[in-house]
């Protein structure tokens, strides 16, 4: 495939579209990759969809923890749908062009939903903290109105900042090449195409990343430090095991998501490479959403029972 190069005209940006190179360096595996990613996408849609339906229709799951789980599953479907369908289209058609507007919209939704995931994971850790450390006050502190407010804040909290950051990114001048060494429009590969000094902009991106990644992660660590301290003070081993099992699935998801996201966005610039960035991005944009339904359903007996009831009704 011939990639069109964009010539510079003075200091102005002449780019009208970008080329998502994706996995073009693996020409013999295009069919295999499209099949694998199609199956993964279906697993994500079906797995998270079943969790959403189950938490809505099963009376036993009408509790705050499952309300947030339904929100999280909805988020995972939206999050993966921002990147994966476009990647599948590129693999199926071998047409890798994407307009600047479409690229900006993809990046904006990706950043907004990524911010929502950070906030929602922090809210879910707070829910577990209240349930374990303040069980008697749990119905008061996590009433339906408070849960709805926390969920809405998670979904809407990062929108203004991420829209502003996207506008800032696409106000840069792109005057050399239009080939993005990635399978979706992400910050790092786009900024690499910009002309001139981008150090000031990179600092602002780093600050926003710290705000929306590091701060929620610190809140999660604070919640779990108090949770662990409370669990260790329980008198019986059975009580400790039961208390820890209520938050172990969420803790595993936190480690998977924040671990890969932190390595991707907060590691030194000198260690960035196109191959490594693609591999890490695959992990937290596709692999983690695929495993999340399994993690939650296999580690929560109530979800397993509810899923069995739902599947029996469907059959």
């Amino acid at each position: 495939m011939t990639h069109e190069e964009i010539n510079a005209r003075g200091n102005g940006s002449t780019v009208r579209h970008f080329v998502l190179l994706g996995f073009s360096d693996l020409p013999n595996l295009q069919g295999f990759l499209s099949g694998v990613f199609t199956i993964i996408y279906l697993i994500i849609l079906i797995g998270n969809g079943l969790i959403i339906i189950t938490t809505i229709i099963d009376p036993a799951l009408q509790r705050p923890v499952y309300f947030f789980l339904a929100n999280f599953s909805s988020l995972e479907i939206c999050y993966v749908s921002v990147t994966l369908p476009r990647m599948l289209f590129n693999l199926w058609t071998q047409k890798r062009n994407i307009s600047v507007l479409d690229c900006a919209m993809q990046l904006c939704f990706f950043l907004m939903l990524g911010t929502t995931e950070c906030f929602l994971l922090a809210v879910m850790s707070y829910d577990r903290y209240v349930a374990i450390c303040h069980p008697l006050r749990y119905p008061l502190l996590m009433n339906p109105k408070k849960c709805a407010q926390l969920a809405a804040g998670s979904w809407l909290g990062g929108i203004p900042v991420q829209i502003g950051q996207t506008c800032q990114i696409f106000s840069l001048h792109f005057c050399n090449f239009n080939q993005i060494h990635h399978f979706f429009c992400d910050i790092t590969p786009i900024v690499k195409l910009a002309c001139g000094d981008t150090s000031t902009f990179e600092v602002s991106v780093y600050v926003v990343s710290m705000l929306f990644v590091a701060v929620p992660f610190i809140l999660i660590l604070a919640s779990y430090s108090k949770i662990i301290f409370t669990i260790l003070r329980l008198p019986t081993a059975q009580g400790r095991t039961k208390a820890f099992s209520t938050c172990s699935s969420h803790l595993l998801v936190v480690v998977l998501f924040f671990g890969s996201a932190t390595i991707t966005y907060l590691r030194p610039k000198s260690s960035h490479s196109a191959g490594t960035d693609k591999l890490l991005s695959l992990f937290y944009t596709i692999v983690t959403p695929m495993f999340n339904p399994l993690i939650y359903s296999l580690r929560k007996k109530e979800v397993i029972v509810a899923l069995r009831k739902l599947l029996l009704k469907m059959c």
Side-chain angles (χ1 to χ4, degrees):
M1 177 180 177
T2 302
H3 301 300
E4 181 185 358
E5 294 185 358
I6 305 296
N7 296 321
R9 297 178 184 172
N11 293 326
S13 175
T14 60
V15 171
R16 296 293 177 266
H17 67 269
F18 293 107
V19 179
L20 291 169
L21 296 182
F23 302 98
S24 59
D25 54 337
L26 302 171
N28 297 326
L29 296 177
Q30 299 297 292
F32 173 76
L33 290 174
S34 64
V36 169
F37 288 129
T38 299
I39 293 171
I40 290 175
Y41 190 41
L42 291 175
I43 291 173
I44 293 170
L45 294 179
I46 294 171
N48 286 286
L50 284 174
I51 288 180
I52 295 168
I53 295 170
T54 304
T55 55
I56 291 174
I57 67 175
D58 196 301
L61 302 183
Q62 304 301 310
R63 288 186 284 161
V65 60
Y66 297 111
F67 169 76
F68 292 123
L69 178 56
N71 271 269
F72 189 72
S73 293
S74 302
L75 172 64
E76 293 292 64
I77 291 175
C78 297
Y79 187 58
V80 77
S81 296
V82 170
T83 58
L84 196 47
R86 181 80 202 194
M87 183 174 69
L88 289 173
F89 173 81
N90 293 344
L91 287 169
W92 290 337
T93 65
Q94 295 300 301
K95 296 178 181 179
R96 307 182 189 278
N97 289 356
I98 182 171
S99 69
V100 173
L101 178 60
D102 288 345
C103 188
M105 291 179 63
Q106 185 185 56
L107 177 61
C108 187
F109 279 105
F110 175 77
L111 293 176
M112 289 190 298
L113 293 172
T115 300
T116 299
E117 183 147 359
C118 294
F119 288 167
L120 196 54
L121 286 171
V123 167
M124 293 169 78
S125 69
Y126 173 73
D127 172 72
R128 293 298 83 208
Y129 159 73
V130 176
I132 294 173
C133 300
H134 304 283
L136 298 179
R137 300 176 61 195
Y138 184 74
L140 177 63
L141 293 176
M142 301 303 293
N143 59 71
K145 182 179 179 181
K146 182 68 172 293
C147 291
Q149 290 173 342
L150 289 171
S154 299
W155 281 94
L156 304 175
I159 290 178
V161 174
Q162 298 299 4
I163 289 177
Q165 182 168 246
T166 302
C167 293
Q168 187 181 13
I169 291 171
F170 284 89
S171 67
L172 297 171
H173 297 303
F174 304 102
C175 55
N176 292 318
F177 299 100
N178 65 339
Q179 300 175 10
I180 299 176
H181 291 272
H182 215 310
F183 59 88
F184 72 98
C185 294
D186 200 4
I187 294 177
T188 302
I190 292 176
V191 172
K192 285 181 179 178
L193 300 180
C195 310
D197 183 19
T198 60
S199 57
T200 303
F201 171 76
E202 289 170 6
V203 170
S204 69
V205 170
Y206 189 82
V207 170
V208 172
S209 299
M210 288 293 292
L211 178 64
F212 290 140
V213 177
V215 172
F217 186 64
I218 291 171
L219 294 175
I220 292 171
L221 288 179
S223 296
Y224 274 105
S225 63
K226 294 183 178 181
I227 288 172
I228 293 171
F229 180 73
T230 302
I231 290 175
L232 293 177
R233 293 174 59 189
L234 294 176
T236 64
Q238 184 180 1
R240 289 193 293 270
T241 302
K242 183 178 179 181
F244 185 74
S245 66
T246 62
C247 54
S248 58
S249 55
H250 175 257
L251 187 58
L252 182 56
V253 171
V254 167
V255 171
L256 290 173
F257 177 77
F258 279 98
S260 55
T262 299
I263 294 172
T264 301
Y265 291 104
L266 299 182
R267 74 185 193 274
K269 183 181 177 181
S270 58
S271 63
H272 280 265
S273 67
T276 304
D277 287 348
K278 279 192 287 187
L279 182 62
L280 290 170
S281 297
L282 275 175
F283 191 80
Y284 71 86
T285 60
I286 296 175
V287 177
T288 301
M290 180 180 66
F291 283 115
N292 284 347
L294 294 175
I295 292 171
Y296 277 108
S297 61
L298 292 178
R299 298 189 69 86
K300 288 185 179 293
K301 293 181 180 179
E302 292 168 314
V303 176
I304 295 176
V305 172
L307 283 172
R308 284 176 180 171
K309 290 180 181 178
L310 177 63
L311 292 175
L312 287 173
K313 288 180 180 179
M314 293 173 64
C315 292

